Amino acid sequence: MQDSKASPHDSGDIPSEEIRKNASLITGIFTEYLDNIENYPVLPKLNRGDLKAALAEHPPEEGEPLADILKDFEKLILPAATHWNHPNFHGLFATSGSAVGAIADFLSSMLDMKGMLWRTAPASVELEELTLDWLSELLGLEERFKGLIYDTASISTMHALAAARERLGFGIRQSGMAGRSGLPLLRTYASDQVHSSIDKSCITLGLGLDSLKKIPSDEKFVMRADLLNQAIEEDLRSGIQPMAVVATIGTTSTTSVDPVNDIAQICERHKLWLHVDAAYAGPAAMLEEKRHFFSGWERADSIVVNPHKWLMTPFDLSVLYLRRIEALSQAFSLVPEYLKTPDMPQTANPMDYGIQLGRRFRSLKLWFVMRYFGKKGLVSRLRRHCRLAEYFAEEIAKEGDFELMAPVNFALVVFRAKSKDVVNPDEFNLRLLEEINSSGEAFISHTVLGGKVALRLSVGSLHTRKEHIDKIIRVIKDKTGQMLKAT
Ligand code: PLP
């Protein structure tokens, strides 16, 4: 049936002619934004609800021209964004997302492949295998580690712990956990500095928050391996089943590094799954001078590294490496009739390794990033971030009014104002944080260490140079000075 009167806009997708007409508007938005990102306040100056109030309340009855939508993107959406690529975005873990990765993401959306099977997405399946082999080579991981791409570290870790749970041999995949007698509490151990995604994995997997034992860390926020060993032995005596240990290389609050070799030895002795959370710091394994932090990670059963945090790859892309990738398929492989292909069961497919069926073509952006920057380019950018963080730490520590709260292992500095004129340092530092962030000039975040409020400055944007670090030092000093004067 042909509808001769229907325009492409009525019946199909946007006509190529309209795309071509708007090409310079699209690339203009992209390049102007990145070239002038410094002109935006890092955190947008708006209140909750402002954006929604400025947008149409109901969907349009008739389709609208692309040019109009793009104009609204520039006028309304951009000013409501938090600018993660801004050179003075120093909160949480700063992102290193690149334009070249964004271009690849756009092409990946163009293809819109759902990578559950080799047949549905051969390019995605094969490029994922290749890029993860490239990445493990760059990270100096042994060849036996095979990787998979998920969206986030939270999901990567959840899959690793699901594989650990299945390896115990209780047949949980088949019989579940509820209503079973004779199933002991299945224990996961991690330091008291561990990321909350581990707690969430315990919730999701039905293990329960009570199953997660937080092992105290020392004065450098590093897990006490002796206390880990003690906790495992106590559990064994009381009938609890140890399941897995999560060691972190680069904790969220301070980037401290757990003693992976000592922990691996304990895991090997008790046959426990060792998961290494290197979500943030993982890419630094490429740097010779940081290599010592990674000693022992090759003894892990699984390792998570997030290129979307610190490897120039736009969100989202998290990599889970496994020493025995079959452990994952044993937990998750399940092939409904309509997904059977003639090459099964000889060929494993991405859907065998997790809860998702369809998967985005994420490896494309990692491949673009690794090709565009090359090993040298990646290494020099990571090194620059570390040097800038060290520079900030040196400069801020020179000031009598500030103290460093943790060693600077990678590109994060944890510090706080401590002037003798400050009566309540916790309250003062929280106020200082708000003063800095509401200025729009920079964004930093905070944590609590040993009961004390501390400020975190992370360097990770590709746009950050020394002048931006000088700027944040100036902002911090000025705000502190003003606040002290007012007390
Ligand atoms: N692990 C660590 C050490 C982190 O710092 C973070 C986030 O900052 C995560 C895991 C969770 O990462 P994602 O947002 O990819 O789930």
Side-chain angles (χ1 to χ4, degrees):
M1 191 189 80
Q2 273 200 335
D3 178 358
S4 56
K5 275 190 266 155
S7 80
H9 196 76
D10 293 329
S11 59
D13 201 354
I14 180 171
S16 298
E17 195 42 48
E18 193 177 346
I19 299 179
R20 274 187 220 108
K21 220 167 65 194
N22 287 290
S24 59
L25 190 53
I26 297 167
T27 49
I29 291 174
F30 193 88
T31 52
E32 290 290 312
Y33 172 68
L34 292 173
D35 287 348
N36 299 304
I37 194 160
E38 276 184 62
N39 299 338
Y40 290 91
V42 187
L43 297 182
K45 301 210 171 193
L46 82 169
N47 297 312
R48 179 99 196 206
D50 285 357
L51 174 63
K52 274 170 82 179
L55 297 172
E57 205 179 333
H58 301 286
E61 199 60 35
E62 302 286 341
E64 299 177 59
L66 177 65
D68 291 359
I69 309 171
L70 286 169
K71 273 183 210 131
D72 277 351
F73 173 81
E74 265 193 301
K75 199 171 114 210
L76 301 170
I77 308 294
L78 267 187
T82 291
H83 302 287
W84 282 70
N85 282 309
H86 192 291
N88 284 112
F89 184 109
H90 302 295
L92 311 167
F93 280 124
T95 196
S96 62
S98 60
V100 71
I103 293 167
D105 242 353
F106 160 75
L107 295 173
S108 160
S109 291
M110 177 193 80
L111 289 169
D112 198 22
M113 283 189 290
K114 278 74 173 174
M116 64 278 257
L117 298 168
W118 183 86
R119 174 170 280 197
T120 60
S124 174
V125 173
E126 297 198 12
L127 204 62
E128 182 160 333
E129 286 171 10
L130 180 89
T131 49
L132 296 191
D133 284 348
W134 280 14
L135 181 64
S136 76
E137 189 181 320
L138 290 176
L139 298 178
L141 274 176
E142 292 175 9
E143 272 169 26
R144 63 204 159 113
F145 278 92
K146 291 290 163 213
L148 279 165
I149 294 178
Y150 297 103
D151 53 358
T152 57
S154 305
I155 297 298
S156 294
T157 293
M158 195 271 293
H159 281 89
L161 291 182
R165 190 183 63 172
E166 201 51 31
R167 196 181 69 167
L168 289 175
F170 288 108
I172 289 170
R173 170 194 159 109
Q174 184 61 36
S175 309
M177 297 176 78
R180 287 178 68 178
S181 57
L183 190 65
L185 188 81
L186 309 180
R187 179 77 87 205
T188 300
Y189 308 84
S191 97
D192 55 12
Q193 298 296 308
V194 78
H195 188 262
S196 56
S197 55
I198 316 303
D199 305 59
K200 288 220 173 165
S201 289
C202 291
I203 297 173
T204 313
L205 293 170
L207 300 163
L209 285 173
D210 288 347
S211 71
L212 178 59
K213 183 135 202 146
K214 303 255 174 102
I215 305 296
S217 52
D218 65 14
E219 68 294 344
K220 289 192 173 148
F221 314 104
V222 169
M223 193 205 285
R224 294 261 314 265
D226 57 327
L227 297 183
L228 168 69
N229 198 39
Q230 215 171 296
I232 294 171
E233 284 175 359
E234 272 169 25
D235 279 349
L236 285 170
R237 277 195 297 276
S238 52
I240 289 171
Q241 173 70 56
M243 183 186 95
V245 180
V246 179
T248 309
I249 300 180
T251 57
T252 312
S253 278
T254 66
T255 71
S256 59
V257 176
D258 288 336
V260 181
N261 265 314
D262 295 345
I263 295 171
Q265 202 170 345
I266 295 169
C267 288
E268 283 157 16
R269 192 163 60 241
H270 292 286
K271 297 197 171 34
L272 300 188
W273 185 284
L274 173 57
H275 176 66
V276 169
D277 181 352
Y280 161 68
M286 286 184 216
L287 309 182
E288 213 39 56
E289 65 277 21
K290 303 290 179 195
R291 197 65 209 162
H292 61 102
F293 287 122
F294 297 84
S295 172
W297 76 334
E298 71 288 346
R299 295 166 76 178
D301 294 281
S302 52
I303 298 173
V304 61
V305 176
N306 271 7
H308 75 219
K309 282 197 197 303
W310 201 18
L311 201 63
M312 321 328 156
T313 310
F315 192 75
D316 50 15
L317 197 159
S318 172
V319 176
L320 178 67
Y321 281 112
L322 289 113
R323 191 136 47 102
R324 281 186 58 255
I325 201 161
E326 314 79 69
L328 256 189
S329 49
Q330 278 155 13
F332 286 107
S333 181
L334 191 142
V335 187
E337 186 56 39
Y338 56 89
L339 289 172
K340 286 190 180 149
T341 53
D343 57 345
M344 286 178 188
Q346 304 89 309
T347 320
N349 288 289
M351 68 173 188
D352 294 320
Y353 299 109
I355 53 170
Q356 265 184 286
L357 180 59
R359 304 164 85 247
R360 267 179 71 74
F361 185 12
R362 292 193 180 87
S363 57
L364 188 67
K365 57 187 163 188
L366 189 53
W367 186 63
F368 267 52
V369 161
M370 288 195 281
R371 287 195 59 180
Y372 186 80
F373 294 108
K375 179 179 176 180
K376 282 190 185 156
L378 296 172
V379 163
S380 67
R381 283 162 178 79
L382 296 178
R383 206 164 258 153
R384 181 158 56 88
H385 292 150
C386 294
R387 271 204 311 266
L388 289 173
E390 282 155 20
Y391 169 70
F392 173 84
E394 277 159 25
E395 291 297 309
I396 207 82
K398 266 189 207 159
E399 301 288 324
D401 285 346
F402 298 93
E403 63 182 326
L404 295 183
M405 301 291 284
V408 182
N409 291 335
F410 300 100
L412 175 82
V413 185
V414 191
F415 67 103
R416 76 184 215 144
K418 59 139 202 191
S419 165
K420 59 181 176 2
D421 300 328
V422 172
V423 186
N424 182 339
D426 286 345
E427 188 256 352
F428 186 89
N429 278 283
L430 285 175
R431 259 198 313 127
L432 177 59
L433 177 76
E434 275 321 297
E435 286 287 327
I436 294 164
N437 291 344
S438 59
S439 74
E441 297 201 71
F443 173 50
I444 62 172
S445 57
H446 81 287
T447 187
V448 173
L449 296 172
K452 292 180 179 173
V453 170
L455 306 180
R456 296 169 70 266
L457 181 130
S458 163
V459 184
S461 165
L462 287 181
H463 303 264
T464 308
R465 296 185 301 276
K466 179 173 170 292
E467 72 207 56
H468 303 109
I469 300 299
D470 287 333
K471 176 178 142 190
I472 176 71
I473 293 170
R474 199 179 59 246
V475 170
I476 292 171
K477 279 206 255 174
D478 287 354
K479 300 279 177 207
T480 306
Q482 285 159 14
M483 283 170 58
L484 284 174
K485 231 188 241 164
T487 52

